[in-house]
Amino acid sequence: MQDVLVIGAGIFGLTLARKLRRARRDVLIAEARAAGAGASATPLGVLAPHAPDNWNPKKEAQFRALVSLPAYLAALEEETGHRIAYRRRGRLVPLTTANQHAAWARRVADARENWRGEAGLSLLERADPDWIAPEAAPFGAALCGLSATVDARAYVAALAASVGDALHTGLTLDRLEPGAAVFATGERIVARLIVLATGAAAFAHLPPAAEGDPAGRGEKGQAAVLRVGRAVADRPLIYHDGTYVVPRGAGQVAVGATSERHFEVDDAVDGLLEERLDRARAICPALAEGAVVERWASVRPRSADRGLTVGTHPSLAGVAVATGGFKTGLAMAHTLDPETLT
Ligand SMILES: Cc1cc2nc3c(=O)[nH]c(=O)nc-3n(C[C@H](O)[C@H](O)[C@H](O)COP(=O)(O)OP(=O)(O)OC[C@H]3O[C@@H](n4cnc5c(N)ncnc54)[C@H](O)[C@@H]3O)c2cc1C
């Protein structure tokens, strides 16, 4: 009998598998396609904190996660030799109204108190016109120093290297039976603990959160990568009204992301992405000449409360679930505690 079977090799499944192996559990990871075939391969890789006002336990947990992540990633890089490109580059929010300016000005003191000297929040009267078009930021910009980026694909690749031959691809979960998982190939794996880490697909195995409300659902997102032909690696990322402009290495910038509740094809891109690109170009002049080198789409696991869904299955003995994270899975995954799965 297998000790632990983790199903799904996204950031959640791989993180848990690595932690369980380090706790000397015998782990097998079953993945339908390849490591990072799902939402975890986002080209954005944004690690953004919640706003520092109205502090609450959820914001505190995310703050702690963001602060502890660099050391965790450094250890993973050291172990595997993969470069994950963590960078605390800050996030610029263009301010388009006097009210917005006033709201962000009030948050400066909240950031001082709640971010405890880890990073600051400041207001710029005028953002660099080469990076943010003046007409897109008539009231300047807020600069959030706690925001960072990571190469999500490198992060997944490092985790996959860390778990080594525990990862088995080409295994698509068909159904769960008491104490066992049955795959589309007909293979049946009996395990003491089965962890469902199949991203948005995991919600189908969970009972409703409340009457009529599913435990969670998939929310599709589309993003693109542009080659801009100039050095942008030192720039802060930009966030405005759902649109991210995220500098990467090698003169590339990622742009995203759309949010679709209703969709037919998980990984198809369409006109919504082109609209998002137009919005990004209107904010960031550096994108004007940029050529799109990748268009990408996937489905975010969005639990009913937008948080993490991690723990024992409410009705299936020996089964645990690890998904959720919605738009912040990359910032939170390393905080998963395998103890909560049993
Ligand atoms: C457009 C977009 C942009 C995003 N940007 C960011 C961002 O900037 N920062 C951030 O923190 N988060 C971001 N996210 C969210 C983030 O990607 C998720 O929170 C996180 O990746 C979820 O990880 P996961 O391991 O739960 O799921 P996934 O990465 O989706 O992994 C699930 C895995 O399970 C496998 N699987 C599914 N079904 C089966 C089955 N039946 N049998 C076997 N295997 C199966 C899949 O192939 C996949 O490999 C973004 C998401 C999208 C879509």
Side-chain angles (χ1 to χ4, degrees), residues 212-243:
D213 289 337
R217 62 176 170 79
E219 183 167 304
K220 183 172 169 179
Q222 303 178 44
V225 180
L226 292 87
R227 193 185 313 110
V228 293
R230 64 165 107 169
V232 290
D234 293 340
R235 296 286 196 170
L237 65 99
I238 305 170
Y239 176 77
H240 177 63
D241 201 16
T243 300

Side-chain angles (χ1 to χ4, degrees), residues 178-298:
V182 182
F183 293 87
T185 51
E187 192 172 342
R188 187 171 183 276
I189 299 179
V190 178
R192 282 189 193 85
L193 173 64
I194 297 174
V195 184
L196 277 174
T198 48
F203 295 121
H205 297 273
L206 290 171
E211 207 170 320
D213 289 337
R217 62 176 170 79
E219 183 167 304
K220 183 172 169 179
Q222 303 178 44
V225 180
L226 292 87
R227 193 185 313 110
V228 293
R230 64 165 107 169
V232 290
D234 293 340
R235 296 286 196 170
L237 65 99
I238 305 170
Y239 176 77
H240 177 63
D241 201 16
T243 300
Y244 272 111
V245 174
V246 185
R248 296 158 36 117
Q252 294 192 341
V253 175
V255 168
T258 67
S259 286
E260 292 98 87
R261 186 174 182 154
H262 303 286
F263 53 90
E264 283 175 9
V265 185
D266 290 8
D267 57 359
V269 291
D270 57 31
L272 293 174
L273 179 57
E274 303 312 310
E275 279 172 26
R276 189 67 52 168
L277 280 163
D278 288 343
R279 279 198 236 171
R281 290 187 187 104
I283 298 167
C284 180
L287 304 184
E289 307 296 322
V292 177
V293 293
E294 181 184 353
R295 290 179 172 83
W296 178 88
S298 190

Side-chain angles (χ1 to χ4, degrees), residues 46 49 58 72 77 127 142 145 183 223 230 288 298 341-342:
V46 173
K58 191 176 165 190
Y72 172 87
E77 287 184 331
F183 293 87
R230 64 165 107 169
S298 190
L341 303 179
T342 50

Side-chain angles (χ1 to χ4, degrees), residues 3 31 69 178 204 215 218 258 317 342:
D3 181 17
E31 159 62 43
L69 186 58
T258 67
T342 50

Side-chain angles (χ1 to χ4, degrees), residues 47-115:
L47 309 166
H50 291 294
D53 49 351
N54 303 318
W55 205 243
N56 59 33
K58 191 176 165 190
K59 291 188 176 192
E60 176 68 21
Q62 202 221 19
F63 171 76
R64 285 173 184 263
L66 287 170
V67 169
S68 61
L69 186 58
Y72 172 87
L73 294 179
L76 183 59
E77 287 184 331
E78 176 77 22
E79 175 197 329
T80 62
H82 286 252
R83 292 286 154 253
I84 301 169
Y86 171 88
R87 183 156 185 168
R88 193 180 278 182
R89 60 175 66 254
R91 176 180 58 161
L92 281 170
V93 179
L95 303 175
T96 54
T97 65
N99 278 350
Q100 261 186 3
H101 186 277
W104 279 95
R106 283 193 296 274
R107 289 175 180 156
V108 171
D110 294 315
R112 208 172 295 127
E113 183 181 342
N114 294 321
W115 292 350

Side-chain angles (χ1 to χ4, degrees), residues 7-13 30-47 171-174 183 197-201 219-223 257-258 296-301 322-331:
I7 309 176
I11 200 96
F12 277 52
E31 159 62 43
R33 296 172 286 170
S40 299
T42 167
L44 296 180
V46 173
L47 309 166
L171 287 171
T172 303
L173 177 69
D174 180 54
F183 293 87
T198 48
E219 183 167 304
K220 183 172 169 179
Q222 303 178 44
T258 67
W296 178 88
S298 190
V299 178
R300 308 172 178 98
T323 187
F326 192 32
K327 297 183 177 179
T328 62
L330 298 175

